[in-house]
Amino acid sequence: MLEIIIFTILISTILNLFLKKVGIPTIIGYIATGTIIAYGFNLHEAVHNEDLKEIAEFGVVFLMFTIGLEFSVNHLIKMKKEVFLYGGSQVILTAVLFSFIGNYFFSLDLKSSIIIGLAFALSSTAIVLKVLNENGDINKPYGRRVLGVLLFQDIAVIPILLMITIFSSVNQSISSLLTQTFIDATILLLGLFIAGKYLLEPFLLNVAKAKSNEIFISSILLLVIGTSYIAHVFGFSYSLGAFIAGMMIAETRYKHQVEADLIPFRDLLLGVFFITVGMQLDFKIIYENITSIVVLLPIIIVIKISIIYAIMRLTSNNRTSLKTAVSLFQLGEFALVIFELSFARDLIDPTIGQILIVTVVISMIITPFVLKNLSTIVDKLNGGESKVSNSSVVSNSELSNHIILIGFGRLGKNIANLIKEDGGTFIAIENDIKTVIDAQKLGLPVIYGNAAKKDILKSLNIHDASSVIVCIGNSEKLIHICEVVDEMAEGKKTVVKVNKYEEKNDLSRLNLSHIIVETEKTASAMYEEAISLD
């Protein structure tokens, strides 16, 4: 087992380093790793081990939790048109059409057809949003529509997973199962709502006051795993519980810090999940059905693009509609989750499952290449005419050309006052929970979090900020934070206050714009005041 673990880590690391250079997502590297390990160590039977399956499923659990963090009520209200109109129409129309095709033309049973149709309606949130963020296109009109559709697809995963549970239950009638599911869901949601409203905030407040990163992370893990287990006890998937936990924490001031701390756990466990997917690929079945795979993928792509384009064309111009549709042509990571769970519960034939999984993987592999050449592809689809949209760029966030304040002590507060007097905008990061609470009571944009976490800074749109000001007193934290800021700021103006010359020397290796020594400036100001009195 130790040899298998070592080789798995080695192979996945080497593969992903190579794939990163050519723009292929790490998901593909993990799937390839699973396939290599399965054939190299003859582990095809091991993937059916229930313990391994449960560990792998927790990758999906943490993914659903971090998605839940993005689904605050306010977020959905702001994007209601993109999410519910565009996203809802796309998922329903695509699922219905593919379900009909599967049932009528390929003679699949109704349950299998519905599951496959719903899976085909989903696209890859992980790949698409990553590329659009890197390209800076997420703030463009088509980027906002893509984001809205992906958000609805992520919401739709919950009822789809619930549907798989219902379809796989053979001991109860559908009506009695739906009635019991409704009762259980009501009890579960009501209990979690009460706990979230009255117990969650005080609990996290006491955890934050302890000022221990280990305690904070362990408490969040407890909330995620505990809520997932409660959902499982009531007969629902672990993922549903995690999603609800994420939504509860999204309404608290701890959202950004929680998201930054749990991303490593999510990515690690997701890697395990996709490795188990790779272990199930049977090349004999793939070889025997290669014609079906080659024919199936283009058909899926054309149908998805056509449906999404038709929906978008009702309210958008031709180019924006095409860019939105082409961006969402692929099948996504949740399709793999759905097929894997359906295969495990005998809802999909093993041969069909293999064909579907390979089709998903191929579509995900080609996605980064398509997105990076999106304008060229759309120009060709437009008949070779490149039309520049005159639509104004719609921002997905109110944070733009702002100042990021790291530290909201006395100095940070004074700087914030100067920014407001000058008519500027800012957002501050502070890791003292009492200071955050007091500031938020005054309506100030101050969040709780650790500024040394890259994901915290990214969530504050550091790439669109005008400058970053670091004003904290802890020397050890200061150096760590400045290293992260230096890496993330990418040429932005960075101003750092240090307490003594030694700290300035330590930071001189970084590309910081200004390093101000507190004692030096204080001495200079005092001397100037003294001589001005003469």
Side-chain angles (χ1 to χ4, degrees), residues 308-350:
I308 298 170
Y309 174 79
I311 293 170
M312 297 299 162
R313 196 68 183 89
L314 295 174
T315 56
S316 305
N317 61 48
N318 186 55
R319 187 173 177 80
T320 298
S321 301
L322 267 177
K323 292 183 84 170
T324 305
V326 175
S327 297
L328 296 168
F329 77 89
Q330 74 291 128
L331 304 175
E333 53 276 354
F334 277 116
L336 292 174
V337 175
I338 291 167
F339 292 147
E340 199 278 335
L341 290 177
S342 302
F343 174 76
R345 301 189 181 191
D346 298 323
L347 293 173
I348 294 179
D349 180 78

Side-chain angles (χ1 to χ4, degrees), residues 326-441:
V326 175
S327 297
L328 296 168
F329 77 89
Q330 74 291 128
L331 304 175
E333 53 276 354
F334 277 116
L336 292 174
V337 175
I338 291 167
F339 292 147
E340 199 278 335
L341 290 177
S342 302
F343 174 76
R345 301 189 181 191
D346 298 323
L347 293 173
I348 294 179
D349 180 78
T351 301
I352 295 175
Q354 287 290 320
I355 294 172
L356 295 176
I357 288 174
V358 173
T359 304
V360 173
V361 171
I362 294 173
S363 75
M364 292 171 71
I365 289 174
I366 63 178
T367 296
F369 303 105
V370 171
L371 294 180
K372 288 179 180 179
N373 297 281
L374 185 61
S375 295
T376 303
I377 293 171
V378 169
D379 289 343
K380 290 182 178 179
L381 292 175
N382 255 337
E385 298 180 9
S386 178
K387 298 179 181 179
V388 179
S389 174
N390 292 320
S391 302
S392 59
V393 173
V394 181
S395 175
N396 181 44
S397 173
E398 297 176 1
L399 295 174
S400 181
N401 200 33
H402 55 295
I403 296 174
I404 295 178
L405 273 178
I406 298 178
F408 204 68
R410 284 178 296 179
L411 179 59
K413 290 172 184 174
N414 286 327
I415 295 173
N417 289 333
L418 293 173
I419 295 172
K420 288 194 293 182
E421 289 173 6
D422 201 36
T425 57
F426 76 93
I427 187 164
I429 310 172
E430 173 59 52
N431 66 351
D432 181 75
I433 188 63
K434 186 178 183 304
T435 301
V436 174
I437 293 173
D438 292 341
Q440 291 181 353
K441 285 179 180 178

Side-chain angles (χ1 to χ4, degrees), residues 274-291:
F274 287 116
I275 285 173
T276 61
V277 171
M279 292 172 72
Q280 295 176 78
L281 293 180
D282 190 326
F283 284 101
K284 182 181 178 182
I285 296 178
I286 294 170
Y287 177 76
E288 292 172 351
N289 295 275
I290 190 65
T291 304

Side-chain angles (χ1 to χ4, degrees), residues 120 160 185 224 239 257 291 465 500:
F120 281 0
I160 294 172
V224 178
S239 302
Q257 184 63 40
T291 304
K500 47 193 176 182

